Amino acid sequence: MTGFERWGEAMARTLYGPGGFYRRELPGRHFATSAQTPAFAQAIARLADQVDEGLGRPAGFTVVDVGAGGGELLERLAGLLDERVRLVAVDLRPRPPYLPGRVEWRAEPPERIEGLLIACELLDNAPCDVAVVDARGRARYEEVNGAGETRLGDLVTKADDAWLAQWWPIFTEGERAEIGAPREALWRNLTARLTRGTALAVDYGHLRHDRPKAGTMTGFKDGRETPPIPDGTRDVTAHVAVDAVPCDHLEPQREALLRLGLDATLPPLPMAFQDPVGYAQALAHAGAAARLTDPAGLGAHWWLRTDRWPDLRR
């Protein structure tokens, strides 16, 4: 690919097109997410149980993981949740052979979901355009080619200009913004499938008062951050303007996990002599919990929660 295109088109092609990154690669080979850790799965299992109880333990309770990657989260949930709970992984890549048989694998989420829908680091990969202020103070689309070179393109549309004015105003020459409307549309589409229960998006992002002036578009390859070159060899991602995404509750991951009982307390040292295996397991759990709740790391990710609860008085 040598021609220039808008970032949204480039992301769609390089991530999800034929032979694209997410059709071919295991995300865990290139970057770490909360969903890949046992401690996170334990917290999500507690959340699922809370939602299940709130719905009155329906026969058709389902946990759906959209953008399941290698299926690590549902693989662990299969050992933590009752067999009554249906587990559905949604991803474009082929089903991993190691998943338990009870985990369903499909390319599209169910049309109707009663239970818990999870999207962990999905919205940051939703293709979006980038706006840049030109020398005359006008917002224009940035275009990129397959080598990562960029140039200014057309003026942004009225709809995108209105989104920028409301959520990410840019005025000074060279200021950049990722236009988040496609992320919001994706989340609306997913939550519209939820008949009863909770939908949870977990992602890194920012708020209106603290938008990065240079934008956040970046890449990840082989465990390292790289330039966001849309050549199909790497993840291309941008932080989410989380306050623009429609949801009922928004909070940092640290607060959400602590409320779910995630504990980063180190096990007592005498346990190392009394129960070496148990001590090693508890130490690993404490370390994972500390990383998940680190306010300078994964703990600063955002939880965007949407609820569809029944009126239990009826």
Side-chain angles (χ1 to χ4, degrees):
M1 179 72 182
T2 57
F4 283 87
E5 58 190 336
R6 281 160 42 175
W7 274 105
E9 297 167 342
M11 290 180 70
R13 171 183 54 78
T14 194
L15 297 179
Y16 307 112
F21 181 86
Y22 279 109
R23 291 183 180 273
R24 187 186 69 251
E25 295 288 335
L26 269 174
R29 290 183 50 205
H30 298 273
F31 52 85
T33 69
S34 300
Q36 296 164 1
T37 66
F40 184 83
Q42 292 170 12
I44 294 299
R46 285 192 284 272
L47 175 61
D49 187 67
Q50 291 176 4
V51 176
D52 191 13
E53 182 179 15
L55 296 180
R57 308 284 183 194
F61 188 86
T62 303
V63 175
V64 180
D65 183 10
V66 183
E72 297 92 344
L73 178 58
L74 291 186
E75 180 185 14
R76 295 189 173 98
L77 290 180
L80 296 171
L81 297 177
D82 188 271
E83 288 287 338
R84 173 182 59 85
V85 177
R86 178 188 176 197
L87 302 177
V88 178
V90 179
D91 208 278
L92 293 176
R93 64 184 316 278
R95 175 192 177 93
Y98 52 77
L99 282 184
R102 67 179 289 201
V103 177
E104 301 176 32
W105 192 271
R106 51 192 295 169
E108 295 288 338
E111 288 295 325
R112 296 172 60 83
I113 300 167
E114 181 179 41
L116 175 64
L117 181 148
I118 308 164
C120 188
E121 295 193 33
L122 173 73
L123 300 182
D124 65 277
N125 285 128
C128 66
D129 286 322
V130 174
V132 182
V133 179
D134 68 11
R136 296 174 57 184
R138 303 172 303 178
R140 297 169 62 181
Y141 294 112
E142 184 172 74
E143 297 178 343
V144 61
N145 67 12
E149 300 167 331
T150 60
R151 70 181 187 187
L152 292 181
D154 295 334
L155 294 173
V156 300
T157 63
K158 289 184 178 180
D160 284 344
D161 193 49
W163 187 93
L164 290 167
Q166 180 176 5
W167 296 111
W168 197 335
I170 50 176
F171 306 103
T172 306
E173 181 181 1
E175 273 192 284
R176 297 160 53 86
E178 289 105 21
I179 300 171
R183 280 96 182 265
E184 298 150 36
L186 173 59
W187 191 237
R188 287 191 182 96
N189 177 276
L190 290 173
T191 56
R193 300 168 185 261
L194 187 70
T195 58
R196 299 199 314 158
T198 290
L200 173 67
V202 180
D203 234 308
Y204 45 90
H206 41 71
L207 302 173
R208 192 180 191 279
H209 69 271
D210 194 29
R211 306 282 193 225
K213 293 185 180 298
T216 63
M217 192 72 71
T218 191
F220 287 94
K221 181 179 181 180
D222 298 329
R224 296 187 299 273
E225 189 169 356
T226 72
I229 300 173
D231 60 1
T233 69
R234 69 202 69 201
D235 180 34
V236 177
T237 177
H239 291 209
V240 179
V242 292
D243 45 345
V245 179
C247 65
D248 296 323
H249 187 65
L250 176 66
E251 66 178 333
Q253 172 161 283
R254 173 181 172 83
E255 296 177 12
L257 288 178
L258 291 177
R259 192 173 60 254
L260 285 169
L262 189 66
D263 187 2
T265 303
L266 293 174
L269 187 58
M271 184 181 176
F273 305 98
Q274 300 164 358
D275 181 9
V277 174
Y279 178 80
Q281 293 172 340
L283 192 63
H285 177 85
R291 290 190 295 274
L292 289 169
T293 56
D294 180 0
L298 292 176
H301 283 200
W302 293 93
W303 279 35
L304 300 84
R305 178 169 173 162
T306 296
D307 293 313
R308 300 281 188 269
W309 289 101
D311 187 349
L312 298 179
R313 295 168 299 179
R314 293 180 181 175

